Amino acid sequence: MTNQDLQIAASDSTFITASVLCVEPASAFYSIHGHEAIRLQCPSAGLDYCFSFEVNPAIVSQLSFLTTSQAGFSAIDYQSYIHKFSSQKRGIQEFVLNLSPVEKQNLWKVIDDYVDDGMVYQFDYMNCNCTSECIHVIKMALDEGVELQYRDLPQALTGTHRTVVNSMSTQSPWSALFWNFTMGTQGDQMSDVDYRITPVYHYQAWRNAFLVDGEGHERPIIKDELRQVIGPFAKQQSHYPSPILTFGFLLLFTTCVSALQLMRKIKDSSLIVKALDGILLTAQTIVGCYLVSLLLFSGLPATTWNWYVIPYNPLPAMLWLACRRSPWYKRVYGVYSLLLTAFLLISPLLPQTNLVMCLPVVCFLLRCITISINNHLKTQTK
């Protein structure tokens, strides 16, 4: 094929086809919103590739998913990409982009440059993820003066990042709880809609979106209807109780043990009391260490401040280990009771907090009050 023939072919709208592949969510916490890739086809050249923005598969990067993970675009042939998610029993949907021949060529060049850069970008689950980066390269490829305009967004995308997470809570309540707990106060701030779109909502957001040039001419950004590539597969039912049921039972058990302890039906030194306090303190310490590590060592903007670090932090365990035999240590329970009470009183005013994560805080408060009262009674007896 001569250069002239190639130029003529490239001007044909069917020379390159650009589309978006949306992979359905999985049960893992990092897959609650699904995954996304750009598919570029050039039948005359026998090319059919998927370009996916993803975290570096190196073990170190996976372990630092919430801190300093490196990410970037990678290219994989279409059949291999389909097989990858088909083996995971995850369905894939596709919608074709209504781009001009030049824009599709621009898109291929832009995304090739990103692939050449390698895994050099810092992954940020709120501002630099698979969907936001796909949207970014598509907008970079648009003709000069052409802008993407959104109209009639789905309800879940009209709020904050936390609104999007909460919309997934019925499908994956534990994963939604994890992200709700992890997202700091920035999760409650409004951001550009490009950063709030997830693979689950991408087609809904773009089916009423238009590309508008400087003269006001517009065209829909989606060319065809959504097409099911593979799946959908039957969803596996979760065998785990919901968070509200789990923490509700914990609160009921804690209330019963505390009441029996105050009524002197069970001794302070009994196995059930020690086991309950040990479980609560251990859980609080583990979760607290996780939150503190995010605040101190994560460079992600979503983890700058988190209200949950007030009740969930490793300080109580550190004081218990270092100072539990000191005469003044008994007062710690009273002080911490006041702190937890203050947190619960202001929690309805904080968009970040919710009932589920406050239930364990009530358990901590009940145990602190119970121990404080018993210590006071022992002091009076003496």
Side-chain angles (χ1 to χ4, degrees), residues 273-295:
V273 171
K274 289 185 175 181
L276 176 61
D277 288 342
I279 291 172
L280 289 177
L281 183 61
T282 301
Q284 181 197 37
T285 303
I286 293 173
V287 175
C289 288
Y290 166 70
L291 282 184
V292 171
S293 66
L294 288 181
L295 288 172

Side-chain angles (χ1 to χ4, degrees), residues 3 22 33 60 67 90 110 141 147 185 209 216 279 314 318 321 339 351 358 380:
N3 289 337
C22 299
H33 297 296
V60 174
T67 53
R90 297 172 66 181
V110 167
E147 296 182 353
T185 52
I279 291 172
M318 294 169 62
L321 289 171
L339 181 64
C358 284
Q380 283 188 331

Side-chain angles (χ1 to χ4, degrees), residues 9-243:
S11 63
D12 186 351
S13 61
T14 60
F15 181 66
I16 296 176
T17 301
S19 58
V20 173
L21 298 175
C22 299
V23 183
E24 68 181 16
S27 57
F29 75 91
Y30 50 80
S31 299
I32 181 177
H33 297 296
H35 189 60
E36 186 166 300
I38 294 175
R39 180 187 181 188
L40 294 174
Q41 306 172 66
C42 182
S44 62
L47 301 177
D48 191 352
Y49 282 94
C50 298
F51 298 88
S52 172
F53 186 86
E54 53 195 35
V55 173
N56 192 327
I59 297 297
V60 174
S61 187
Q62 291 288 1
L63 293 177
S64 58
F65 178 77
L66 295 169
T67 53
T68 56
S69 290
Q70 297 301 304
F73 272 102
S74 61
I76 181 173
D77 69 273
Y78 174 71
Q79 291 302 327
S80 297
Y81 189 84
I82 295 299
H83 176 74
K84 172 184 176 181
F85 291 102
S86 177
S87 62
Q88 298 175 16
K89 302 297 182 183
R90 297 172 66 181
I92 298 179
Q93 295 177 316
E94 179 181 25
F95 58 86
V96 178
L97 300 174
N98 187 24
L99 303 179
S100 69
V102 173
E103 288 172 334
K104 286 184 281 190
Q105 293 176 57
N106 290 342
L107 177 58
W108 206 314
K109 183 180 184 306
V110 167
I111 209 165
D112 267 345
D113 289 340
Y114 272 89
V115 173
D116 290 340
D117 289 341
M119 300 287 178
V120 297
Y121 302 94
Q122 183 175 355
F123 181 83
D124 177 348
Y125 55 85
M126 283 181 60
N127 302 312
C128 184
N129 52 64
C130 63
T131 303
S132 67
E133 291 308 294
C134 284
I135 295 175
H136 175 66
V137 295
I138 291 172
K139 293 175 74 171
M140 285 182 65
L142 298 178
D143 292 331
E144 186 177 355
V146 175
E147 296 182 353
L148 173 63
Q149 294 185 3
Y150 292 97
R151 300 170 192 173
D152 193 21
L153 289 169
Q155 185 64 32
L157 298 181
T158 59
T160 63
H161 282 278
R162 198 174 306 282
T163 307
V164 180
V165 169
N166 289 335
S167 70
M168 305 298 296
S169 60
T170 56
Q171 300 181 33
S172 185
W174 282 104
S175 294
L177 179 66
F178 170 82
W179 286 116
N180 243 320
F181 185 74
T182 299
M183 282 194 303
T185 52
Q186 187 172 341
D188 302 306
Q189 300 175 9
M190 290 297 294
S191 61
D192 192 289
V193 67
D194 289 350
Y195 300 118
R196 301 198 304 273
I197 295 177
T198 66
V200 173
Y201 293 113
H202 199 165
Y203 175 74
Q204 298 179 48
W206 276 20
R207 65 182 176 182
N208 292 316
F210 293 84
L211 297 174
V212 184
D213 63 22
E215 297 180 356
H217 301 129
E218 62 181 40
R219 53 189 156 105
I221 190 170
I222 294 179
K223 188 174 183 180
D224 298 318
E225 291 296 319
L226 190 67
R227 181 177 74 92
Q228 192 77 37
V229 179
I230 58 172
F233 297 98
K235 299 292 183 182
Q236 293 184 351
Q237 295 296 323
S238 174
H239 300 293
Y240 301 104
S242 66

Side-chain angles (χ1 to χ4, degrees), residues 295-312:
L295 288 172
L296 297 180
F297 306 112
S298 176
L300 303 183
T303 55
T304 50
W305 171 249
N306 193 312
W307 284 102
Y308 283 122
V309 79
I310 295 176
Y312 295 96

